[in-house]
Amino acid sequence: MATADEQWWDAQAGEYVLGTLRTAERDIFERILQSDTDVQQRVSFWQQHFSSLDQNITPVRPPDYIWKALLARIQSENPTSQAAPRASTTLDSFSDNASDLLDDSESGELFEDFGDLSEADNVVPIMERSQPASSSSTIWKAISGLSLAATIAMAAVLMQLIDKQAAPVDAPLDVVSVVQSEELNALWVLSAQENSTTLKVVALAPPPIEQDKSYQLWMVKADDSGVSSVGLLPTTAGTSSELSLPISTDQAQVFAVSLEPAGGSPEAGPTGPVLFTGDITTVDTSL
Amino acid sequence: MNLDSSTMDVMPARTTSIELQTENVQVLELCLDRLAKPAKECIVSAYCEGFSAEELSERLGRPIGTIKSWIRRSLIALKECIDGHS
């Protein structure tokens, strides 16, 4: 049976690992922890046992407020950049930034107490080391090789960085589609806000095309009753454009891209082969 | 981390580490289940979601002193329970 003193130190060490000590309490505890092996063992006990709770944590998309704070920070630090965020596209630097942003609040302690987020099991790596801002085409190529979910998340942010005319950050994107090749490389990212007919298009890595050809985007209707033309897609990596949605995204089941003569199909439907498709994803912005 | 031969010699075998981890998971689950539901929620939410005691107080609608007391009593009970199963 532990003495009251031992129980007090067990509780103190447990609270330290949980992150529920107040700042002053934690500072004092950390000073003692540095030199007291008995306290170190008590902390180690809780770290070892609570670490099994880590396995219950499922991968999550960072909440919107973190994205917004991150984006605001990037823009304020790098107001003249029209390209990619400055070396902030790795999860390492993401967590550093997020940690900095939250340093003023109690929740900032989360990042200190539980170590480097980039090594945690529940964090989905976004991408390898980023490219410098000057090599904007390289970053688009890098993004095009990402997983679908990561592409959607990154592209939604980057799209707004390169296009200052795009919707403000506090107007979230509701519908996103990534047009992919057969090898599942992302070629174009399409996005729209709910109740808007404007479709924003970013060319990530459009395949090379002959001068007398165009890529034309179509919406395939949900009931297989045909297709509606959306317009021509940009063919230079890193460029964006806006097209007008002919039908609402919830009336369509998929986007499709066909190869057409320059300027687009002379018919009401595609005249060339359908080369690529993109599923329509509704983004949950209720976080 | 440098894994020279002397370090390797003192490292536990991987299977042992996994077995130990599995045992820790089972014991922690068993002991957490013995706590009252709100107390368990405090512990798990604080660790997994990073809630401070103040945030738990707001979330559960209980005074901060009650939350701190739940957490500390739960930790002491957990320690005894885990020690009893080791």
Side-chain angles (χ1 to χ4, degrees):
Chain A
M1 179 76 187
T3 65
D5 190 50
E6 287 171 329
Q7 287 181 340
W8 190 89
W9 280 106
D10 280 333
Q12 205 71 358
E15 278 212 80
Y16 176 70
V17 174
L18 288 179
T20 54
L21 289 179
R22 289 163 186 265
T23 309
E25 271 184 301
R26 191 195 60 200
D27 290 347
I28 294 167
F29 184 84
E30 280 180 337
R31 278 204 291 277
I32 297 167
L33 179 63
Q34 283 179 354
S35 56
D36 191 320
T37 53
D38 178 69
V39 175
Q40 286 166 6
Q41 281 173 7
R42 291 178 201 278
V43 167
S44 172
F45 171 90
W46 290 117
Q47 286 172 331
Q48 186 188 337
H49 282 89
F50 281 140
S51 66
S52 60
L53 290 174
D54 293 339
Q55 296 164 21
N56 295 331
I57 302 174
T58 51
V60 291
R61 173 176 174 268
D64 275 358
Y65 72 87
I66 290 186
W67 280 116
K68 287 175 188 172
L70 173 61
L71 189 55
R73 186 189 174 102
I74 291 167
Q75 285 174 329
S76 68
E77 283 185 1
N78 208 17
T80 56
S81 171
Q82 295 295 306
R86 183 176 56 104
S88 292
T89 43
T90 66
L91 201 59
D92 274 354
S93 49
F94 169 74
S95 62
D96 288 345
N97 281 336
S99 180
D100 289 346
L101 291 163
L102 295 168
D103 269 349
D104 294 336
S105 68
E106 281 289 312
S107 50
E109 293 162 20
L110 174 69
F111 294 89
E112 295 165 16
D113 290 352
F114 297 109
D116 185 351
L117 275 180
S118 63
E119 292 175 4
D121 289 337
N122 64 318
V123 175
V124 182
I126 291 182
M127 63 187 299
E128 298 301 319
R129 279 284 163 202
S130 65
Q131 315 303 318
S134 55
S135 60
S136 58
S137 67
T138 317
I139 197 167
W140 294 111
K141 283 177 193 160
I143 291 167
S144 72
L146 298 178
S147 74
L148 184 59
T151 303
I152 290 172
M154 287 303 297
V157 172
L158 294 174
M159 185 183 302
Q160 296 182 6
L161 282 171
I162 65 162
D163 185 359
K164 298 293 180 189
Q165 303 307 310
V169 182
D170 59 358
L173 303 168
D174 296 304
V175 179
V176 177
S177 175
V178 178
V179 177
Q180 295 177 300
S181 65
E182 279 186 6
E183 296 77 29
L184 301 182
N185 290 322
L187 308 176
W188 288 273
V189 175
L190 320 171
S191 67
Q193 284 164 347
E194 197 176 15
N195 304 322
S196 165
T197 58
T198 301
L199 181 74
K200 294 189 178 64
V201 181
V202 170
L204 295 182
I209 187 170
E210 292 166 304
Q211 290 228 323
D212 60 347
K213 301 284 186 190
S214 293
Y215 290 125
Q216 186 164 357
L217 182 68
W218 307 84
M219 292 172 90
V220 179
K221 293 176 186 169
D223 53 2
D224 286 320
S225 61
V227 295
S228 295
S229 172
V230 186
L232 301 183
L233 291 171
T235 54
T236 305
T239 58
S240 64
S241 65
E242 286 189 356
L243 300 174
S244 191
L245 289 169
I247 57 174
S248 147
T249 49
D250 56 18
Q251 291 177 283
Q253 53 175 308
V254 72
F255 284 104
V257 176
S258 69
L259 185 67
E260 300 295 345
S265 168
E267 309 283 343
T271 57
V274 172
L275 301 175
F276 316 109
T277 58
D279 290 334
I280 297 171
T281 306
T282 303
V283 179
D284 181 6
T285 55
S286 62
L287 282 170
Chain B
M1 185 167 113
N2 289 323
L3 286 179
D4 57 28
S5 56
S6 60
T7 314
M8 297 293 282
D9 288 342
V10 296
M11 283 178 73
R14 185 165 174 77
T15 48
T16 312
S17 157
I18 290 169
E19 281 164 13
L20 186 67
Q21 209 175 351
T22 310
E23 193 183 301
N24 283 345
V25 173
Q26 289 168 344
V27 170
L28 184 72
E29 276 183 8
L30 185 147
C31 293
L32 278 172
D33 283 343
R34 291 189 180 179
L35 299 176
K37 202 178 166 192
K40 178 183 173 183
E41 189 182 340
C42 284
I43 299 283
V44 174
S45 300
Y47 186 80
C48 294
E49 298 177 65
F51 285 122
S52 66
E54 286 80 1
E55 287 166 331
L56 288 168
S57 164
E58 283 174 27
R59 190 177 145 116
L60 299 176
R62 295 301 187 100
I64 178 84
T66 305
I67 299 292
K68 281 288 254 185
S69 173
W70 280 353
I71 291 173
R72 295 184 74 85
R73 278 170 24 208
S74 299
L75 286 165
I76 292 166
L78 273 178
K79 176 74 166 55
E80 279 183 11
C81 177
I82 291 169
D83 283 346
H85 287 83
S86 299

